[in-house]
Amino acid sequence: MPPLPALSSQPRCPPSIPRTHKDAAGLRQGGKRGASGVIAVAESHLPVLHRQDLILPQARALDPDSGERYRKMPDVLLVTPPRPLRLVREEVGENLGLGFLASVLRKRRISVEILDGSLSGWSIRKMANEVRARDFKVLGVSLVLPSLVKPGFHLIRAVRSSKRARKTPERSFLVAVGGHTPSLAWRETLSACPDIDAVVRGEGELTFLELVEKVLGGEEWRDTSGIAFLRDGIPVSNPPRALITNLDELPPPDHDLLPQALSQGGHATVYSSRGCYGKCSFCSIRAFYDIAPGPKWRAMSPGAVVDEIERLCHDYGAEEFRFSDDNFIGPGRAGRERASEIAREIIRRGLKVRFMVSARADNVDRDLLALLKEAGLTQVFLGVEAGVQSMLDRFNKGVTVEENRRAVSVIRELGIEPVIGFILFDPETTTQELFDNLTFLKSIGLTEGGLNSRLDVLNRLEVYPGTPAEEKLKLEGNLRGDFTDYRYGFRDPVVSLIYHGLRAFQRVAIPVRRAFTSRSRVS
């Protein structure tokens, strides 16, 4: 999604707080869709984590010798591979999942470093060199987006190849990956990249912590619950861990790379809930949380949420926030009341911030959004997906066209910016549905700028492993490519011609438009 609109020059934090990203970064010496872990499971020997036990960044002393060893020789290196170039804009932000992992590990005095290839502007080769320059025992690779899977494989192979060439025992290390795609397609992931030792499936904080502690202690790690691995060349998976039920028991994530993201025009990322109670056929979110038993939507208490916002405001000078929640408001009256309490707490503390959230159309409530706007809400990402009921039913959205229309109208009338997720093409799209969808977009006054910038108006249905959409297309024999980049054909030949023609035009038009835009800014 695009960055939030620029803030006014009005001070947002107390005068004693640094106003620049550089100053904010000086406060932080040493020490993300997010990974989390089980707080208490029968098969785990790990103790319960409590927020009050969190080792704050200022007090963190991971190595008695010096901070230099912590920086250069971490026990664990957590990385996000560089994203491939995309035609459409993508948001700039830190990987909150890695922040959660780092926080939990550091709490147990395990030294951690986080690297992000995209934030650093690195190529795969450059990032591989950076990884090779460090000594570590565990390499954790976040494949949080499907587009990161292949770059992640390339990075792992490059690092493995170089480290093996040294043939020194002290350079040996374990590679673990996590994210929606490897969690759901663990067999395919391990088969495609045997250099991976373990796949952390589902929410991962305590699974990864247990794995790391076993590796650092020289213990057998293959009996860790919640992981998949190769046994004699065959992918196998251990039983999953139950989903965490009380999110308040997790320590807040670390934000090592937030200054870097802010310096590039990004925003701070926070979370207040995990999961989604929806059952959309195309979405990997529900499939991801279905891996393990437990409630599929869970929420933090309002006070804990605002504590995190206030901390980022004071520690980093952050003013713009994006809630990473898949569904911020949540189900029913209880969900709306919790969201209201977050708004009221922000207002009560006098925090002058701006933020954006994601919501379902049937959760949009005028009074709630008005209160959230008073607290600083500026944007709502709304998964509209279609303006035709036949497509909404195919997607199992559980909403009507009129609910979508009403939600967009309410958001606009309140002076909040709607950012729309829309699927214009799917395998069964007809020419009439295509025409009706375009008519719907026009009727709600939507322009290209108001669409989800990671997708765009030509977005077609993305097929993710483990989803009902994948299963259906496989049964129909209409799925090509592999789990990292599924493709399919359109039933309607006219729709196919339109889609591929527009896509070809887009591939030429967007770079040209960007070139002229950049040129005009320079002149």
Side-chain angles (χ1 to χ4, degrees):
M1 299 170 208
L4 299 180
L7 293 169
S8 67
S9 58
Q10 177 184 354
R12 299 292 177 179
C13 295
S16 60
I17 301 303
R19 306 306 311 155
T20 67
H21 301 142
K22 184 181 294 185
D23 291 339
L27 291 174
R28 187 97 163 159
Q29 301 300 323
K32 181 179 169 283
R33 205 170 300 243
S36 98
V38 178
I39 291 308
V41 291
E43 65 269 28
S44 175
H45 66 278
L46 298 173
V48 174
L49 294 178
H50 296 287
R51 293 177 67 87
Q52 62 265 30
D53 295 331
L54 173 69
I55 301 170
L56 296 176
Q58 310 81 304
R60 195 172 286 131
L62 299 173
D63 190 290
D65 299 329
S66 70
E68 184 66 15
R69 180 188 180 280
Y70 161 66
R71 190 174 70 85
K72 291 295 186 182
M73 300 179 64
D75 294 317
V76 178
L77 185 61
L78 300 175
V79 304
T80 305
R83 297 185 186 185
L85 293 176
R86 299 284 301 277
L87 283 176
V88 293
R89 300 184 304 273
E90 289 188 317
E91 62 188 20
V92 176
E94 57 181 332
N95 186 331
L96 199 61
L98 294 188
F100 275 108
L101 295 180
S103 177
V104 171
L105 291 169
R106 287 167 176 163
K107 180 181 179 298
R108 297 292 288 265
R109 298 297 196 275
I110 297 171
S111 59
V112 181
E113 184 179 2
I114 304 176
L115 300 176
D116 190 305
S118 293
L119 280 179
S120 300
W122 293 338
S123 64
I124 292 291
R125 177 178 296 179
K126 168 63 176 173
M127 188 162 199
N129 289 336
E130 290 290 335
V131 172
R132 285 193 289 256
R134 290 160 168 80
D135 287 319
F136 50 85
K137 294 299 181 182
V138 178
L139 175 65
V141 184
S142 175
L143 306 180
V144 66
L145 299 172
S147 60
L148 291 177
V149 175
K150 286 184 177 178
F153 288 175
H154 291 320
L155 175 65
I156 291 167
R157 291 183 187 116
V159 174
R160 276 288 199 201
S161 175
S162 174
K163 297 274 189 178
R164 282 173 178 164
R166 299 175 185 271
K167 295 182 180 178
T168 54
E170 65 273 13
R171 302 292 293 193
S172 62
F173 61 100
L174 179 139
V175 175
V177 301
H180 283 205
T181 297
S183 290
L184 295 167
W186 53 274
R187 295 180 182 86
E188 296 87 343
T189 296
L190 291 166
S191 298
C193 188
D195 285 316
I196 295 171
D197 296 299
V199 173
V200 175
R201 302 190 64 215
E203 295 183 331
E205 281 91 351
L206 289 194
T207 295
F208 190 64
L209 172 60
E210 182 179 345
L211 179 67
V212 168
E213 289 193 322
K214 286 180 176 179
V215 171
L216 296 182
E219 303 174 37
E220 173 56 52
W221 54 266
R222 292 172 183 83
D223 59 356
T224 304
S225 297
I227 69 167
F229 56 94
L230 289 174
R231 177 179 289 151
D232 298 326
I234 299 173
V236 296
S237 179
N238 291 339
R241 294 179 185 267
L243 295 172
I244 175 176
T245 55
N246 185 0
L247 294 180
D248 281 2
E249 291 183 325
L250 275 176
D254 286 340
H255 295 271
D256 297 28
L257 302 186
L258 179 55
Q260 190 176 5
L262 293 176
S263 71
Q264 297 179 31
H267 44 256
T269 305
V270 294
Y271 90 114
S272 75
S273 67
R274 287 183 177 178
C276 182
Y277 62 90
K279 298 181 179 180
C280 301
S281 64
F282 55 82
C283 188
S284 64
I285 295 169
R286 181 57 183 255
F288 179 80
Y289 290 109
D290 273 342
I291 290 173
K296 306 312 174 188
W297 186 86
R298 296 137 295 146
M300 290 179 64
S301 63
V305 174
V306 183
D307 284 346
E308 174 72 349
I309 293 174
E310 189 169 30
R311 179 172 76 98
L312 295 181
C313 178
H314 286 117
D315 286 3
Y316 297 94
E319 299 173 335
E320 297 177 345
F321 295 83
R322 178 179 68 84
F323 280 89
S324 65
D325 304 38
D326 301 306
N327 188 343
F328 173 78
I329 297 174
R333 181 175 179 178
R336 292 193 296 273
E337 181 56 31
R338 187 197 72 101
S340 297
E341 283 297 325
I342 292 174
R344 283 193 283 266
E345 187 64 15
I346 291 174
I347 295 169
R348 187 187 70 79
R349 299 190 194 188
L351 300 176
K352 304 300 181 181
V353 296
R354 289 190 176 187
F355 59 90
M356 74 164 297
V357 302
S358 298
R360 284 174 57 94
D362 52 357
N363 288 151
V364 170
D365 176 85
R366 183 182 297 273
D367 292 340
L368 170 59
L369 262 61
L371 180 60
L372 286 167
K373 181 185 178 182
E374 184 181 351
L377 179 65
T378 58
Q379 286 185 354
V380 175
F381 172 75
L382 202 63
V384 170
E385 316 308 359
V388 182
Q389 194 60 48
S390 56
M391 293 184 72
L392 291 173
D393 293 342
R394 278 205 302 274
F395 300 157
N396 200 31
K397 282 292 296 182
V399 299
T400 65
V401 173
E402 286 311 307
E403 283 178 311
N404 279 339
R405 193 186 305 278
R406 181 197 63 82
V408 175
S409 177
V410 167
I411 293 169
R412 267 222 184 83
E413 289 171 5
L414 290 171
I416 301 169
E417 180 185 2
V419 180
I420 306 300
F422 207 82
I423 301 174
L424 194 59
F425 296 89
D426 80 310
E428 299 178 40
T429 299
T430 66
T431 51
Q432 185 61 49
E433 287 175 336
L434 182 58
F435 175 80
D436 291 343
N437 265 328
L438 294 174
T439 302
F440 171 82
L441 290 174
K442 185 177 180 180
S443 72
I444 63 174
L446 201 65
T447 62
E448 180 187 357
L451 289 169
N452 180 1
S453 61
R454 292 173 299 176
L455 304 177
D456 75 58
V457 72
L458 292 183
N459 182 55
R460 69 172 186 171
L461 179 77
E462 296 285 347
V463 181
Y464 300 121
T467 61
E470 180 204 37
E471 182 180 359
K472 182 175 184 293
L473 288 172
K474 277 185 175 179
L475 289 173
E476 294 173 349
N478 187 20
L479 203 57
R480 301 187 295 275
D482 61 27
F483 71 104
T484 66
D485 184 24
Y486 278 134
R487 298 184 300 278
Y488 53 79
F490 297 100
R491 288 186 179 180
D492 189 321
V494 176
V495 170
S496 179
L497 182 64
I498 293 172
Y499 174 81
H500 291 293
L502 290 174
R503 182 59 74 186
F505 174 77
Q506 185 187 56
R507 291 185 183 279
V508 175
I510 289 181
V512 171
R513 184 177 63 183
R514 284 180 179 170
F516 275 101
T517 302
S518 301
R519 202 171 176 183
S520 62
R521 286 175 181 169
V522 172
S523 59

